[in-house]
């Protein structure tokens, strides 16, 4: 089912209240150095995060984020891993457009994509219908991890707040002569993945349904992700903005490497299970042939194997 979000009225109207996106309640800097942005298509701007784990040297700037400018309104897609990054994104929007956004769209629950929401207090937030519960379940874990990675100051004041516009299937947002199509997907990278398709330029913001160079991270279901990839490649985009990787990539060819990795992961785990091996055997050997093709392989492949082993053990 397709519905529409009234962004003109949304900014001044209360929507469904949901606990599940983090904002920081402490005061944020009124001004900060704007983030560097690349205009990947007319009116579509992207900031490319580092392909790295969040750490003091990158200040948590490890995910791609952006904004889209219509004739009347501006929409934000993901806001970065810290409130400071969100402020810097808001400064970039102001510098480019002189406008305030009327909607923030979160592609999924991971903190490197949502902690910058703090800079957009009062702006309605849209996300997958599962986003609220998924974030609520991990609030304390994410808080502790941010403290460990970037220090207590980065985590001060974090509290769960609203998802004003939950998306169960598909909705459209009209920015003024520019329609964005928000699509919610079944469990894949997570159980709350959402894409944003700008029909005017054929640009697809995939969130973490697409990783490029950064090894994919399975926090949901590998088999489900492969099925979602089959759906994604039918989206009539000409370019995509992955959740991690370059600011733009050709579509749908950018899906090929990720599909190969996930297929190798699933088939490798199945071989171990068929041979009667345990999870340690799987972690030691599955997808090793993919090692040289991806960054952060050692940080994520063992987790991916573990999650996929649990997924397939009783199939």
């Amino acid at each position: 089912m397709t519905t529409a979000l009234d962004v003109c009225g949304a900014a001044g109207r209360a929507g469904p209240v949901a606990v599940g996106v983090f904002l920081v309640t402490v005061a944020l800097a009124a001004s900060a150095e704007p983030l560097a942005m690349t205009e990947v298509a007319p009116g579509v701007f992207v900031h490319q995060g580092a392909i790295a784990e969040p750490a003091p040297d990158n200040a948590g700037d490890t995910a791609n984020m952006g904004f889209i400018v219509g004739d009347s309104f501006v929409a934000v897609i993901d806001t970065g891993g810290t409130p400071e990054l969100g402020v810097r994104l808001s400064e970039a929007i102001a510098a480019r457009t002189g406008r305030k956004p009327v909607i923030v769209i979160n592609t999924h629950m991971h903190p490197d994509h949502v902690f910058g929401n703090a800079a957009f207090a009062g702006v309605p937030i849209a996300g997958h219908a599962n986003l609220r519960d998924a974030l609520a379940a991990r609030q304390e874990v994410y808080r502790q991890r941010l403290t460990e990675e970037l220090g207590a100051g980065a985590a001060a004041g974090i509290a769960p707040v609203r998802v004003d516009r939950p998306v169960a299937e598909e909705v459209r947002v009209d920015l003024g002569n520019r329609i964005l199509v928000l699509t919610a997907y079944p469990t894949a990278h997570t159980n709350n993945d959402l894409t944003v398709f700008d029909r005017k330029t054929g640009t697809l913001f995939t969130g973490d349904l697409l990783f490029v160079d950064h090894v994919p991270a399975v926090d949901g279901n590998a088999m489900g992700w492969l099925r979602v990839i089959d759906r994604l490649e039918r989206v009539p985009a000409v370019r995509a903005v992955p959740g991690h990787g370059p600011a733009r990539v050709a579509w749908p060819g950018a899906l090929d490497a990720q599909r190969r990795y996930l297929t190798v992961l699933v088939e490798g785990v199945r071989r171990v299970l068929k041979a009667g091996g345990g999870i340690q055997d799987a972690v030691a050997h599955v997808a090793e042939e993919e090692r040289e093709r991806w960054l952060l392989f050692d940080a994520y492949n063992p987790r991916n194997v573990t999650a996929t082993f649990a997924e397939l053990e009783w199939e």
Side-chain angles (χ1 to χ4, degrees), residues 132-157:
R132 173 191 63 184
D133 291 343
L135 271 168
R138 297 192 181 184
Q139 175 179 354
E140 290 307 313
V141 172
Y142 287 162
R143 185 199 304 272
Q144 293 167 13
R145 186 180 302 164
L146 186 64
T147 299
E148 293 167 1
E149 292 167 343
L150 299 180

Side-chain angles (χ1 to χ4, degrees), residues 131-236:
L131 182 62
R132 173 191 63 184
D133 291 343
L135 271 168
R138 297 192 181 184
Q139 175 179 354
E140 290 307 313
V141 172
Y142 287 162
R143 185 199 304 272
Q144 293 167 13
R145 186 180 302 164
L146 186 64
T147 299
E148 293 167 1
E149 292 167 343
L150 299 180
I158 293 174
V161 291
R162 70 199 191 282
V163 177
D164 305 293
R165 303 291 183 261
V167 179
E169 295 181 11
E170 181 179 285
V171 300
R172 295 178 182 178
V173 176
D174 188 357
L175 298 179
N177 195 31
R178 188 162 221 149
I179 300 294
L180 307 184
V181 181
L182 282 55
T183 304
Y185 289 87
T187 301
H189 166 63
T190 69
N191 76 338
N192 53 93
D193 298 306
L194 182 82
T195 61
V196 182
F197 180 49
D198 172 34
R199 297 199 311 190
K200 186 169 185 175
T201 64
T203 304
L204 179 67
F205 281 76
T206 64
D208 282 4
L209 285 174
L210 175 62
F211 284 75
V212 178
D213 298 330
H214 184 309
V215 69
V218 180
D219 194 14
N221 182 297
M223 291 294 294
W225 200 345
L226 285 166
R227 290 190 291 270
V228 166
I229 287 173
D230 290 340
R231 282 184 59 187
L232 281 172
E233 69 179 354
R234 296 194 293 271
V235 177

Side-chain angles (χ1 to χ4, degrees), residues 113-138:
H113 296 261
V114 304
F115 274 142
N117 287 7
F120 301 94
V123 179
I125 297 167
H128 194 291
N130 291 340
L131 182 62
R132 173 191 63 184
D133 291 343
L135 271 168
R138 297 192 181 184

Side-chain angles (χ1 to χ4, degrees), residues 54-76:
D57 63 348
N58 58 45
D61 185 6
T62 61
N64 295 344
M65 55 186 126
F67 61 92
I68 299 177
V69 183
D71 287 351
S72 304
F73 305 113
V74 178
V76 179

Side-chain angles (χ1 to χ4, degrees), residues 39 89 92 108 115 124 136 145-146 237 259-260 310:
E39 190 169 11
L89 177 59
H108 64 293
F115 274 142
R145 186 180 302 164
L146 186 64
R259 177 188 275 121
R260 184 196 63 238

